[in-house]
Amino acid sequence: MGIKNKRLLILIATCSIAGVVLGGTTSWASTNQCLQAKNLTNECLTQDPVTKTIQGMSVGLLAGAGAAVGAAFQMKRQ
């Protein structure tokens, strides 16, 4: 495996990890904010906070990996 491939994998892994952390944190904060609201909605009461956090983490993973691939493609074009 060449040095360029290793750099690309490190870039994708780093951006993916950052996406997972940010996506999970955002979903968790959104759930907490929903539960602390004055007027609770039915959606807020029926959703499992852990499931919603995992969904946010998976979206963050995809967004981070996509951003890394896009950045690498852009750098390669220049």
Side-chain angles (χ1 to χ4, degrees):
M1 185 183 285
I3 189 78
K4 288 187 179 186
N5 287 339
K6 287 182 183 179
R7 284 184 185 172
L8 178 63
L9 289 176
I10 290 171
L11 177 68
I12 291 173
T14 304
C15 289
S16 297
I17 290 169
V20 166
V21 170
L22 290 174
T25 304
T26 303
S27 293
W28 189 261
S30 172
T31 301
N32 285 341
Q33 187 177 21
C34 180
L35 292 173
Q36 293 175 357
K38 286 186 179 182
N39 298 330
L40 293 176
T41 62
N42 193 24
E43 178 187 350
C44 184
L45 294 173
T46 57
Q47 275 192 330
D48 182 29
V50 175
T51 303
K52 189 168 181 174
T53 302
I54 291 172
Q55 288 174 346
M57 291 169 76
S58 63
V59 169
L61 175 72
L62 294 175
V69 169
F73 180 71
Q74 185 69 22
M75 288 173 48
K76 194 175 213 178
R77 278 186 42 194
Q78 292 177 352

